[in-house]
Amino acid sequence: MRLLDDEPDLPAQINIVPMIDAIFAILAFFIISTLFLTKSEGLPVSLPSASTSQRQESAPATVTIDAEAQIFLNREPIAIPNLTAAITDLKGEDPQLLVILNADESVNHGAVVKVMDQLRQIEGVRLAIATTQP
């Protein structure tokens, strides 16, 4: 007759493979979810490319000119004569406001110049033109 104490003691083991799978699943979830947290103020337009472009900090004012030459201020349609007043309201007490101009590459050059002229009339407004890297 064999006693239970005669069996050799097996060392205690922890199977960590399921834990690693769970950690990788959680990590993948957080990586994918952070991709959707980017903030884009402008409307989707086909930006021109420039090799000397530099990244700018986020701006509270984004002016977009789409392919049909429609003008938007922070995704809201606006007419050129009203642009100066709207930017001045956004500027408030801020001594310098960075305005990013997103202009579709197919839009007429004259429309872009009109918007730039309106923006340059406002004191303390810095103008940045959005481009993509080639």
Side-chain angles (χ1 to χ4, degrees):
M1 176 172 354
R2 261 175 101 172
L3 295 174
L4 291 175
D5 291 335
D6 291 342
E7 292 184 15
D9 288 336
L10 294 175
Q13 295 179 347
I14 297 176
N15 190 0
I16 63 169
V17 173
M19 183 175 62
I20 292 173
D21 289 342
I23 296 296
F24 278 130
I26 292 170
L27 180 65
F29 171 76
F30 283 118
I31 290 173
I32 292 171
S33 64
T34 57
L35 295 176
F36 295 105
L37 295 177
T38 59
K39 182 178 177 182
S40 176
E41 293 293 332
L43 295 172
V45 293
S46 177
L47 295 174
S49 61
S51 60
T52 59
S53 63
Q54 298 175 357
R55 181 169 296 279
Q56 297 289 328
E57 67 270 8
S58 179
T62 302
V63 177
T64 304
I65 306 173
D66 66 3
E68 289 83 32
Q70 296 175 341
I71 301 168
F72 299 88
L73 175 60
N74 292 340
R75 295 182 175 252
E76 298 294 325
I78 192 166
I80 289 180
N82 302 336
L83 186 61
T84 305
I87 294 290
T88 305
D89 289 344
L90 279 177
K91 184 176 177 273
E93 299 294 322
D94 191 8
Q96 287 206 338
L97 175 70
L98 177 65
V99 178
I100 296 178
L101 179 60
N102 291 325
D104 193 282
E105 66 181 345
S106 65
V107 77
N108 185 350
H109 182 68
V112 177
V113 171
K114 286 180 186 176
V115 170
M116 289 174 65
D117 186 46
Q118 288 291 320
L119 295 174
R120 289 181 51 132
Q121 292 177 12
I122 306 168
E123 187 175 333
V125 168
R126 296 180 305 143
L127 182 62
I129 300 174
T131 60
T132 59
Q133 292 285 338

